[in-house]
């Protein structure tokens, strides 16, 4: 089985971080989002990874070649024309059934269902309350998809499409994509989900499977929520420092220095970072940051960030500096 991994997007909702780092390589609980997703491929017979790249494609390719030992192919999506266009780029190289994974969320799913399900495809979904933000899946009584609707205004379903698909009837998928690309764009782009709807309308059976967990990493608040969830689910890594209060859960790498501070809960700190006279909560801090006299919460800091005397929330990309004069106390505040 081949796996198609589209990751050409610019990650605009996570700027300024994504000006310098591709969204799938941003970290939660100490690991790139893409790593958490790729873990789910263990135990499957994967013959090739096909990455559809675009924004900061050199970083993605370098990372994937070094990290994953499965044969890989990289195809650039030069025109951002939607998910149908992205998947269509892999067509010349696909030899059989495919798994399609969008790697901007972390999910808990048993992908071995691929080997057991008697269906032309599988779409994984998760029941959510804020269904208007997502494409939602409508099913029949047997759990097969009958309709998929992008960001519905009426509550026809709360099963959100999470961007994880298995397609056995791949020839039908290409026919559906041809149909989509031959018609006017839907809300400015050509959606892969419209190709799935074409497949259903032409007699194919796509089973809907619910995931155990689904954690969005597409914007700052959900990225921080996912960091917290993963820490609480076992990714935490605690270290002790004299004169420092640690409030679990936290993830603290080797090579971190902390003095006269309070860290946590829900904080990830990467190697080489130095923290003094500070209070940090609900935040992700990159490598080699230098933080002093700060009271930080709900924040995302890249690598080599320097921050002094700041109280509040911030999102700073790599190599940023933020210094506030006249602050001498950490101003702990309350959570």
């Amino acid at each position: 089985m081949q796996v198609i991994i589209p990751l050409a997007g610019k990650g605009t909702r996570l700027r300024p971080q994504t000006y310098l780092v591709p969204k799938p390589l941003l970290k939660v609980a100490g690991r790139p989002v893409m790593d958490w997703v790729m873990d789910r491929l263990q135990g499957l017979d994967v013959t090739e990874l096909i990455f559809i790249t675009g924004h900061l494609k050199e970083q993605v390719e370098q990372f994937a070649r070094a990290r994953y030992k499965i044969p890989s192919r990289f195809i650039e999506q030069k025109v951002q024309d939607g998910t149908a266009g992205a998947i269509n780029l892999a067509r010349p190289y696909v030899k059989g059934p495919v798994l399609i994974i969008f790697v901007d969320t972390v999910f808990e799913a048993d992908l071995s269902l691929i080997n057991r399900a008697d269906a032309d495809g599988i779409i994984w979904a998760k029941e959510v309350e804020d269904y208007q933000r997502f494409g939602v899946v409508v099913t029949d009584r047997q759990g097969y998809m009958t309709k998929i609707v992008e960001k519905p205004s009426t509550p026809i379903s709360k099963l959100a499409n999470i961007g994880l698909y298995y397609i056995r009837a791949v020839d039908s998928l290409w026919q559906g994509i041809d149909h989509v690309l031959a018609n006017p764009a839907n809300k400015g782009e050509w959606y892969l989900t419209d190709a799935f709807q074409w497949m259903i309308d032409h007699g194919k059976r796509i089973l809907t499977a619910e995931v155990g967990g689904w954690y969005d990493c597409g914007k700052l608040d959900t990225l921080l929520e996912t960091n917290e969830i993963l820490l609480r689910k076992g990714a935490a890594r605690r270290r002790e420092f004299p004169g420092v209060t640690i409030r679990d859960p936290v993830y603290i790498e080797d090579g971190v220095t902390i003095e006269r501070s309070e860290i946590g809960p829900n904080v990830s700190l990467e190697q080489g970072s130095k923290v003094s006279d500070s209070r940090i909560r609900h935040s992700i801090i990159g490598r080699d940051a230098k933080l002093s006299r700060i009271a930080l919460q709900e924040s995302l800091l890249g690598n080599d960030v320097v921050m002094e005397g700041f109280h509040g929330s911030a999102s700073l990309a790599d190599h940023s500096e933020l210094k506030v004069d006249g602050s001498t106390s950490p101003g702990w505040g309350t959570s």
Side-chain angles (χ1 to χ4, degrees):
M1 179 183 68
Q2 293 164 288
V3 181
I4 304 174
I5 305 168
L7 32 67
K10 295 181 178 180
T12 54
R13 294 184 299 166
L14 277 166
R15 288 174 177 169
Q17 312 294 333
T18 47
Y19 282 124
L20 300 175
V21 180
K23 182 169 64 172
L25 299 190
L26 292 176
K27 292 185 179 180
V28 285
R31 302 179 65 202
V33 172
M34 187 157 69
D35 267 5
W36 291 101
V37 175
M38 298 297 284
D39 282 353
R40 297 298 173 185
L41 297 181
Q42 293 179 12
L44 299 180
D45 183 17
V46 178
T47 57
E48 184 182 35
L49 303 175
I50 302 176
F51 293 92
I52 309 300
T53 64
H55 180 59
L56 301 174
K57 62 186 179 68
E58 294 83 3
Q59 285 190 49
V60 171
E61 183 168 346
Q62 181 181 16
F63 178 87
R65 287 193 185 282
R67 184 80 92 187
Y68 311 125
K69 303 310 177 186
I70 302 171
S72 299
R73 184 186 305 273
F74 299 86
I75 305 169
E76 183 181 3
Q77 185 180 13
K78 295 181 179 179
V79 178
Q80 301 294 306
D81 56 0
T83 52
I87 300 305
N88 196 50
L89 293 173
R91 187 192 296 208
Y93 312 102
V94 170
K95 300 177 177 64
V98 293
L99 185 66
I100 301 170
I101 307 177
F102 288 80
V103 292
D104 53 0
T105 62
V106 176
F107 60 85
E108 298 169 2
D110 178 12
L111 298 187
S112 67
L113 178 62
I114 289 168
N115 302 319
R116 305 190 304 272
D118 178 22
D120 297 304
I122 305 171
I123 179 170
W124 280 265
K126 177 68 174 176
E127 186 168 316
V128 298
E129 291 303 319
D130 53 343
Y131 60 87
Q132 299 95 336
R133 288 182 50 211
F134 306 100
V136 297
V137 180
V138 181
T139 69
D140 63 17
R141 292 182 179 179
Q142 287 73 45
Y144 289 92
M145 187 180 89
T146 60
K147 186 182 297 185
I148 187 164
V149 180
E150 289 294 332
K151 300 178 181 179
S153 57
T154 57
I156 60 171
S157 171
K158 292 185 177 181
L159 279 178
N161 164 31
I162 73 164
L164 175 62
Y165 320 103
Y166 172 70
I167 301 297
R168 180 177 284 123
V170 71
D171 287 342
S172 180
L173 172 66
W174 303 135
Q175 292 171 359
I177 288 177
D178 285 342
H179 172 78
V180 170
L181 297 180
N183 282 276
N186 179 354
K187 300 176 183 177
E189 60 182 291
W190 286 273
Y191 287 101
L192 180 64
T193 49
D194 289 338
F196 296 155
Q197 187 66 59
W198 186 94
M199 293 174 66
I200 295 298
D201 294 342
H202 288 78
K204 298 303 177 184
R205 299 164 65 245
I206 298 180
L207 181 67
T208 303
E210 281 203 62
V211 295
W214 176 49
Y215 316 118
D216 186 18
C217 298
K219 52 194 183 81
L220 178 58
D221 58 343
T222 59
L223 187 78
L224 294 174
E225 288 173 8
T226 297
N227 184 66
E228 175 181 351
I229 291 167
L230 294 175
L231 293 180
R232 295 188 183 280
K233 283 180 170 286
R237 188 174 190 268
R238 180 188 175 105
R239 295 185 60 213
E240 301 291 346
F241 302 84
V244 172
T245 299
I246 302 294
R247 301 195 183 280
D248 295 320
V250 296
Y251 172 89
I252 303 176
E253 293 187 346
D254 294 338
V256 170
T257 302
I258 308 176
E259 300 174 336
R260 301 176 303 277
S261 296
E262 187 176 323
I263 306 297
N266 312 320
V267 170
S268 294
L269 269 169
E270 290 191 48
Q271 63 184 354
S273 292
K274 298 180 179 180
V275 182
S276 61
D277 303 298
S278 296
R279 172 73 175 92
I280 303 176
R281 298 175 176 174
H282 309 291
S283 297
I284 299 173
I285 313 298
R287 298 189 312 272
D288 300 313
K290 295 178 176 60
L291 313 177
S292 63
R293 298 179 293 108
I294 67 169
L296 195 68
Q297 58 186 1
E298 308 294 342
S299 296
L300 177 61
L301 308 185
N303 301 326
D304 297 289
V305 167
V306 176
M307 181 179 280
E308 297 177 6
F310 176 78
H311 298 179
S313 301
S315 179
L316 300 180
D318 294 357
H319 310 292
S320 299
E321 287 194 16
L322 177 57
K323 298 181 179 181
V324 180
D325 293 334
S327 178
T328 58
S329 68
W332 303 129
T334 59
S335 59

